[in-house]
Amino acid sequence: MKPIMKKALFWSPRILCLLFTAFISLFALDVFDHSQGFWQTALALMMHLIPTAILLLLLAICWRWEWIGAVVFPSLGLFYIVMAWGRFHWSTYAFIAGPLFLLGLLFFANWRVSEGPEVASRSREGQSSER
């Protein structure tokens, strides 16, 4: 694979995850619509930003171990669909779960490309030493 494609495949899931996290964070802004006190608003904002913190923590882990992102992001997308099924229009599921499935696919592709030659060379070395 060309180096530019490897670089694009490395950065695309990470940037998409940051963009998706920013998108999810926008939903926390609805706490400012209510006329509550400062501390109640601050507490509500912190509660609404828990998914953002989870996604950022997950991205920090997946930055090093892509296979975790390949498993966890689609699992989160499936979890969202199962938990929210029937409550929203289909487009809501597409906008929330769709990027999670895409992230899982991109992390999987990056993991396979980054681990591919190393795994292949290890398997060839094991075969040649057995002979």
Side-chain angles (χ1 to χ4, degrees):
M1 180 177 273
K2 294 181 181 180
I4 188 108
M5 290 300 294
K6 282 181 118 173
K7 194 176 234 185
L9 194 54
F10 177 83
W11 284 107
S12 59
R14 289 152 176 87
I15 292 171
L16 180 62
C17 188
L18 288 173
L19 291 173
F20 181 69
T21 303
F23 171 68
I24 292 297
S25 299
L26 290 175
F27 295 111
L29 296 176
D30 73 337
V31 300
F32 296 110
D33 287 343
H34 310 289
S35 57
Q36 299 176 349
F38 174 77
W39 293 111
Q40 289 176 333
T41 303
L43 180 63
L45 183 63
M46 295 296 261
M47 295 289 287
H48 280 74
L49 289 176
I50 289 174
T52 300
I54 291 170
L55 284 172
L56 288 175
L57 179 65
L58 184 58
L59 176 61
I61 293 168
C62 295
W63 203 285
R64 172 67 176 97
W65 299 287
E66 292 93 357
W67 67 270
I68 293 175
V71 172
V72 174
F73 282 116
S75 299
L76 285 174
L78 188 62
F79 177 75
Y80 175 76
I81 290 173
V82 168
M83 293 305 293
W85 188 255
R87 293 186 201 169
F88 306 110
H89 190 261
W90 69 267
S91 61
T92 304
Y93 302 111
F95 277 108
I96 302 295
L100 292 171
F101 290 125
L102 180 61
L103 279 169
L105 182 66
L106 288 171
F107 272 113
F108 177 75
N110 185 34
W111 173 61
R112 292 300 296 167
V113 167
S114 65
E115 296 289 324
E118 185 178 310
V119 172
S121 67
R122 271 192 259 145
S123 66
R124 274 188 252 123
E125 289 171 3
Q127 289 175 354
S128 63
S129 64
E130 291 174 0
R131 292 181 189 177

